[in-house]
Amino acid sequence: MATLKDHMNSPDELDLHEEDQQGSEQSGKSIIIKVLVALAVGLGIYMLPTPENLSPQGHKFLALVTTIVILWVSEAIPIGVTALCAAGGLILFGIETPAAAWAPFASPAVMFVLMIVMFGVVLNEVGLANRIMYWIFKVAGTGVKRLSFVLAVGCTVLATIFHDATVTVIMIFALVPVIRSMGITPQNSTNLAKFFIILIPLASSAGGFGTLLGGGRNPLAVEILQQFTNGEVSIGFMEYIVIQFPICLLTALATWGVVFLIFRPKEKELPASVKMEKMAPMSTRELGVTIIFTATFLLWTFSDLTGWHVSVVASLALAGFCGPKFVSFKTICDKFPWESWIVFGAGVSMGASMLNSGAGKFLAESLLPLLDGQATFVVYYGMGLFGSILSSMMSNSAAVALTLPITLPMAEMLNMSPKAVAMLAPLTTSFIMLVIGCPPTIIAYSTGYFSQMDFIKVAVPWCLALLLVATFGAMVYWPMIGFY
C-alpha cells in the first residue's frame, strides 16, 4: 500500500480525474433509454396548457429544466456536455438570447469559483494540503468517528466566516491524498471515501448562514427585511451572530449524523500509514503560498472596507502564486476539473433564466399560498423546503431574492414574525439537494469519488433533516432569545 508520504513525493498522481466519474460506465441501451425518458418528460410538460400567470418562455423553461435535471441525475451523458446543452437549449427554444444564455458562465460568482478551485490545485502542488491534513490528524487522530466529527464541526464553523467553497477546497485537497494513499481511487470508491468526500461540502454548506460574512444571501435577507419594514427593523452584525450562529452547531451535528448513517464506513480507524510522525520544515514555496493565502483571507474579510470584489482578490492571489513560480499556471490549468466548473456555470445560467422567464415567480406564486392556513410548523417547514428546492437550481442569493418578496407579506397576513421568516431564508437556502446546487458540492464531485445518485441518496434526507433543525430554531430558539 502506498503511504501518504509517497503521494507527497508524487503530486502528479493527485490531480482530479473527471474521466473517472462513475457515470461513464453505462451500456448504450441504458443511455438511449435515459435520454428518451428525459426528452419524453420534457415534451410532456411542454404539451400541457400554459397557465395564465406563466409566460410562454417560462413554460418552455420548465420543460427544458426538467429534461436537463433528469439527464444530470441519471448521468446519461457526461454532465459537462449536458451543461452545454442546457445553455444551447435556452437559445434554441427562444428562452434567452445567445448572449444572455452564455454570459452567466463568466459571471463574477462562476469566475470566483474557478479561481477558488485553482487555489486547491496550488495547495496540493506545493504540499500544503498534506501539511493541513497532518495538523488535522494531530488534533483529531485517525479514528474515523472522531476525525469525521472534527471535520464536520470544523467545516461548518469555518464556513460561517470564510466562503464555503474555500473551506471545501482546502479540506478536499487535503483529504484526497490520504484516500489515495489507502489505494482507494474513483474507480474503486468505497463508503469510506464517499463518506468523507460528501461530508466536507455538506458540512461547509451547513454553516454559510452563520454570520453576515458567510455568504451574500445573509446581508441580502437583512436588507430585504429592512426595506419591507420601511427601515423600522434592522439587524446588526453581532445580533445576526446571536440569532444564527448557535443553530450552526446543530446543523453541523445533524450533517455528520445523516452522512454517517447513510455512508457508514466499515473502517473504525484509518491505517497508520496515512499519519506522518513528523513533517519537514516549510519549504519556500509552502511559506510563500501561506503568506499569500493569509493576505487573501484578510482582504476577503475586509472587502466591505476595501470595496474590492472577492474575484479581484482571488485573481491577485493567483498572480502571487504564479509570478514567483511557486506553481506554474500551466500545471494549474492541466489539473483543473473543467467539467465540474462548466456544470456550475450552466447552473447559474439556468438559475438566471428561471428568474428572467418568470418560471421562478410562477412556482413561488403557485406553491407558497398552499401554506396559507396551515399550522405554524408546516408554514415554516414548507417555506424552508421551497427555498431549498429553488436553491438547488439557482444561487442561494437568487433564491432569497425570489422568495422573500412573497413570504414576507404572507407572514404579515398569517400574523407571523417577518423577522423570523426573513432570517429563515438564508438558513434554509444553504441546504441543497442536487450536486449543481452550490460550489462546494461541485468541487467535491470533481474528485470522481461519488456519483450524482450517491449524492442525492444523502442530500435529500440531509436537506429534510436540516430543515427540521431550522424550523426548531425558528420556533424554539428564537423566541427564547427574544427574537420575534
Side-chain angles (χ1 to χ4, degrees):
M1 178 185 295
T3 66
L4 181 58
K5 188 174 182 179
D6 293 332
H7 283 280
M8 285 183 65
N9 294 330
S10 305
D12 288 348
E13 299 175 15
L14 305 180
D15 54 332
L16 303 177
H17 294 264
E18 292 166 350
E19 69 274 19
D20 292 338
Q21 286 172 358
Q22 299 167 9
S24 58
E25 297 179 2
Q26 299 184 70
S27 68
K29 183 180 177 182
S30 170
I31 292 172
I32 292 172
I33 291 174
K34 289 175 180 176
V35 170
L36 289 177
V37 168
L39 292 175
V41 173
L43 184 62
I45 293 175
Y46 178 71
M47 296 298 290
L48 294 172
T50 304
E52 289 184 2
N53 57 339
L54 179 62
S55 66
Q57 284 82 5
H59 189 176
K60 287 187 282 189
F61 173 83
L62 292 177
L64 176 65
V65 76
T66 304
T67 306
I68 295 299
V69 169
I70 293 174
L71 290 175
W72 263 332
V73 172
S74 65
E75 296 178 316
I77 52 180
I79 62 168
V81 177
T82 306
L84 295 174
C85 289
L90 292 174
I91 302 167
L92 177 66
F93 298 113
I95 302 169
E96 295 284 4
T97 64
W102 293 115
F105 282 74
S107 67
V110 176
M111 294 306 297
F112 176 62
V113 168
L114 178 142
M115 289 182 272
I116 282 290
V117 178
M118 286 182 171
F119 280 23
V121 178
V122 174
L123 279 175
N124 184 55
E125 284 301 302
V126 302
L128 272 175
N130 292 296
R131 192 173 292 278
I132 291 168
M133 206 64 220
Y134 167 77
W135 289 330
I136 292 174
F137 280 147
K138 200 169 181 180
V139 172
T142 53
V144 170
K145 271 189 180 178
R146 179 173 174 177
L147 175 63
S148 59
F149 186 81
V150 170
L151 272 176
V153 176
C155 287
T156 300
V157 172
L158 285 174
T160 64
I161 303 171
F162 303 120
H163 197 286
D164 51 10
T166 310
V167 176
T168 299
V169 83
I170 291 173
M171 294 303 178
I172 287 288
F173 274 81
L175 189 64
V176 166
V178 174
I179 293 173
R180 284 191 172 271
S181 72
M182 296 168 63
I184 304 173
T185 65
Q187 294 94 333
N188 65 355
S189 186
T190 65
N191 267 14
L192 179 72
K194 292 176 184 177
F195 169 59
F196 276 109
I197 298 290
I198 292 179
L199 177 67
I200 289 172
L202 292 189
S204 300
S205 296
F209 64 89
T211 73
L212 285 174
L213 301 174
R217 61 195 178 282
N218 306 335
L220 178 62
V222 171
E223 182 181 337
I224 294 175
L225 174 65
Q226 193 168 352
Q227 290 173 352
F228 179 75
T229 58
N230 294 319
E232 293 181 7
V233 177
S234 62
I235 296 175
F237 187 87
M238 287 307 300
E239 185 184 7
Y240 186 96
I241 291 176
V242 173
I243 293 165
Q244 301 284 47
F245 186 83
I247 301 176
C248 286
L249 301 178
L250 297 178
T251 57
L253 294 176
T255 299
W256 179 83
V258 171
V259 183
F260 186 80
L261 283 175
I262 294 176
F263 285 116
R264 185 170 191 152
K266 63 181 180 183
E267 295 87 349
K268 305 292 183 191
E269 189 93 16
L270 298 182
S273 58
V274 305
K275 187 174 181 180
M276 301 187 67
E277 293 301 325
K278 189 175 181 181
M279 293 202 74
M282 274 192 173
S283 65
T284 303
R285 292 200 312 164
E286 285 181 278
L287 191 59
V289 169
T290 301
I291 292 171
I292 294 170
F293 257 118
T294 305
T296 303
F297 287 142
L298 288 174
L299 285 172
W300 278 335
T301 304
F302 297 108
S303 58
D304 285 345
L305 296 177
T306 63
W308 292 3
H309 189 268
V310 288
S311 59
V312 174
V313 178
S315 64
L316 292 176
L318 283 170
F321 297 145
C322 299
K325 299 191 183 305
F326 294 142
V327 60
S328 77
F329 190 62
K330 183 177 183 307
T331 300
I332 294 175
C333 292
D334 287 346
K335 299 192 172 185
F336 187 86
W338 293 101
E339 184 180 54
S340 301
W341 177 70
I342 290 172
V343 172
F344 182 60
V348 175
S349 179
M350 297 296 279
S353 186
M354 180 179 273
L355 287 174
N356 297 338
S357 68
K361 186 179 179 185
F362 164 75
L363 293 174
E365 290 177 346
S366 301
L367 298 178
L368 287 175
L370 298 177
L371 300 174
D372 189 8
Q374 303 295 325
T376 304
F377 171 84
V378 176
V379 174
Y380 277 132
Y381 196 89
M383 286 179 176
L385 180 60
F386 185 75
S388 295
I389 292 172
L390 276 187
S391 191
S392 298
M393 281 301 303
M394 62 174 63
S395 78
N396 38 36
S397 293
V400 167
L402 180 66
T403 56
L404 277 185
I406 298 172
T407 55
L408 284 175
M410 279 181 59
E412 204 168 49
M413 287 188 293
L414 297 172
N415 291 320
M416 297 174 68
S417 165
K419 291 197 296 184
V421 170
M423 287 299 94
L424 193 66
L427 205 165
T428 56
T429 52
S430 301
F431 316 142
I432 46 89
M433 300 182 186
L434 297 174
V435 164
I436 61 168
C438 65
T441 51
I442 287 288
I443 292 167
Y445 181 74
S446 68
T447 64
Y449 277 95
F450 62 88
S451 68
Q452 296 215 52
M453 284 308 299
D454 287 330
F455 184 77
I456 290 174
K457 181 180 168 185
V458 66
V460 171
W462 170 75
C463 183
L464 297 178
L466 263 65
L467 287 175
L468 282 177
V469 173
T471 305
F472 171 82
M475 296 184 65
V476 179
Y477 170 64
W478 289 345
M480 285 173 59
I481 60 173
F483 176 68
Y484 254 50

